[in-house]
Amino acid sequence: MREDPEVRSAPGCGGRPEATDGPALIVLCGPTAAGKSAAAVALAERVDGEIVNADSMATYIGMEIGTAKPTPAERRGIGHHCYDIWTVRQPAAVAEYSRLVRARSGEIQARGRVPILVGGSGLYVRAIVDDIAFPGTDPAIRMRLERDLAESGPESLHARLSAADPVAAASILPRNGRRIVRALEVIELSGRPFSATMPAYDARPDVVQIALDRPDLDDRVQARVDAMWRRGLVDEVRMLERQGLREGPTASRAHGYAQVLAMFDGEYDAAGARAATVRATRRFARRQRSWFRRDPRLHWIDSSTDPVPAALRLIERPATLDP
């Protein structure tokens, strides 16, 4: 059987189960600046699909430029769903996101169309593809951990998490205080590692999962950040600051937004804030790669050239591809 040189499975990937008439869900994920949004629109035009957002920061109303949210012109008449869910003051809630996306995906399927889940937030993708049990919360434990966070800082709590659950610590940024607190809360509540709440990478014959990547990603990140500044990111952050961006535990940490807020506080000049955004985004892209590489179900496509033909081959003949 001829092997498609544009498509490669992640290391350790086994053969795919028998396919039916077509996938119930297509996933298009990968690191930031790999070209997912444009590829998703082109793919949707070919498979009669509609796009469902899997970028955690694109769920926020008003965060247009810094998240590279597709503009109306870039959407080309294709339905885009589950953007603009929350105000910038609200914390991200993966369980609520999962409920909304599953319901919207069912509506898309009921219309005879294919939902295409698009984004680089790995946990959000897994919340839709897999059955994740979202543990409860305990206000007393959460309050105590948040007090520790305020007093000691996120790095101290990250060290505590590393001792309790090295697997979870490796997947959470040392400065992501909110996620560190949540992981420690779940460990204390359940008596189990936080990483144990994630299901195994079980294959699903009704889902085709594709990841885009390209070797020039660092240059693409630089170009994207430069374009964000030209389009008016600083003015967007100023507007969102008036709407409570600083009080938002999730939105205020978004790349670009956090650096511009720091510029307002005098920590950077304009050039320094832009350079810091590039550095943070490049680090984030590397972590996205690491997260997605752990999933053996993903088929990787080099998006340096048009990725749609290779994606269509996966979608139309998933059972015939060699691992």
Side-chain angles (χ1 to χ4, degrees), residues 48-92:
D48 201 15
E50 298 185 25
I51 291 165
V52 182
N53 173 49
D55 179 332
S56 62
M57 294 304 173
T59 58
Y60 284 101
I61 299 165
M63 292 176 64
E64 308 293 324
I65 297 171
T67 66
K69 200 177 292 180
T71 65
E74 291 167 340
R75 298 181 186 196
R76 303 210 300 253
I78 298 296
H80 281 62
H81 306 274
C82 298
Y83 295 83
D84 304 322
I85 298 172
W86 297 306
T87 70
V88 292
R89 289 179 179 270
Q90 295 175 270

Side-chain angles (χ1 to χ4, degrees), residues 26-56:
I26 298 168
V27 174
L28 195 63
C29 60
T32 191
K36 297 182 294 295
S37 296
V41 169
L43 186 61
E45 291 173 333
R46 298 290 297 275
V47 302
D48 201 15
E50 298 185 25
I51 291 165
V52 182
N53 173 49
D55 179 332
S56 62

Side-chain angles (χ1 to χ4, degrees), residues 17-319:
E18 282 294 319
T20 56
D21 291 339
L25 175 69
I26 298 168
V27 174
L28 195 63
C29 60
T32 191
K36 297 182 294 295
S37 296
V41 169
L43 186 61
E45 291 173 333
R46 298 290 297 275
V47 302
D48 201 15
E50 298 185 25
I51 291 165
V52 182
N53 173 49
D55 179 332
S56 62
M57 294 304 173
T59 58
Y60 284 101
I61 299 165
M63 292 176 64
E64 308 293 324
I65 297 171
T67 66
K69 200 177 292 180
T71 65
E74 291 167 340
R75 298 181 186 196
R76 303 210 300 253
I78 298 296
H80 281 62
H81 306 274
C82 298
Y83 295 83
D84 304 322
I85 298 172
W86 297 306
T87 70
V88 292
R89 289 179 179 270
Q90 295 175 270
V94 181
E96 176 66 7
Y97 165 84
S98 176
R99 186 188 68 77
L100 292 170
V101 168
R102 287 172 182 267
R104 187 59 57 87
S105 297
E107 295 168 4
I108 294 169
Q109 292 163 346
R111 295 197 300 272
R113 297 175 181 268
V114 182
I116 304 175
L117 188 68
V118 181
S121 297
L123 183 59
Y124 281 52
V125 171
R126 292 209 68 190
I128 304 306
V129 173
D130 298 313
D131 293 323
I132 297 178
F134 295 100
T137 63
D138 184 298
I141 294 175
R142 173 69 65 87
M143 186 178 300
R144 171 166 45 81
L145 289 169
E146 288 180 343
R147 185 172 61 248
D148 292 346
L149 175 66
E151 293 174 354
S152 304
E155 288 86 354
S156 174
L157 266 67
H158 193 267
R160 191 188 309 178
L161 179 61
S162 295
D165 187 352
V167 175
S171 69
I172 299 175
L173 288 170
R175 294 195 59 80
N176 192 338
R178 184 170 178 273
R179 285 199 66 200
I180 296 167
V181 164
R182 176 58 176 157
L184 290 170
E185 179 190 21
V186 169
I187 291 169
E188 190 166 341
L189 271 172
S190 66
R192 299 190 304 150
F194 179 68
S195 53
T197 63
M198 297 294 289
Y201 295 111
D202 295 325
R204 283 183 54 182
D206 60 334
V207 178
V208 175
Q209 298 192 64
I210 298 166
L212 301 186
D213 201 356
R214 50 189 299 157
D216 60 346
L217 207 63
D218 278 356
D219 292 339
R220 297 263 298 181
V221 167
Q222 178 72 63
R224 170 174 284 193
V225 172
D226 289 344
M228 286 160 45
W229 248 260
R230 287 195 304 271
R231 291 181 58 201
L233 177 65
V234 173
D235 289 338
E236 180 173 278
V237 176
R238 188 172 286 113
M239 175 194 70
L240 292 171
E241 184 183 25
R242 293 194 292 269
Q243 297 175 14
L245 176 62
R246 287 185 184 273
E247 289 73 51
T250 307
S252 63
R253 292 199 307 270
H255 300 124
Y257 297 88
Q259 287 76 23
V260 173
L261 287 173
M263 182 183 76
F264 292 164
D265 293 338
E267 295 180 33
Y268 299 114
D269 60 13
R274 187 186 301 202
T277 301
V278 171
R279 291 193 300 270
T281 306
R282 286 173 174 168
R283 286 195 300 269
F284 179 59
R286 289 193 288 272
R287 294 187 70 86
Q288 287 174 299
R289 276 191 183 125
S290 297
W291 172 283
F292 289 120
R293 287 288 178 190
R294 291 197 292 267
D295 192 333
R297 301 166 298 182
L298 286 174
H299 294 278
W300 289 81
I301 297 176
D302 185 340
S303 55
S304 298
T305 57
D306 181 7
V308 173
L312 287 171
R313 284 190 285 273
L314 281 167
I315 293 161
E316 293 167 358
R317 302 193 305 275

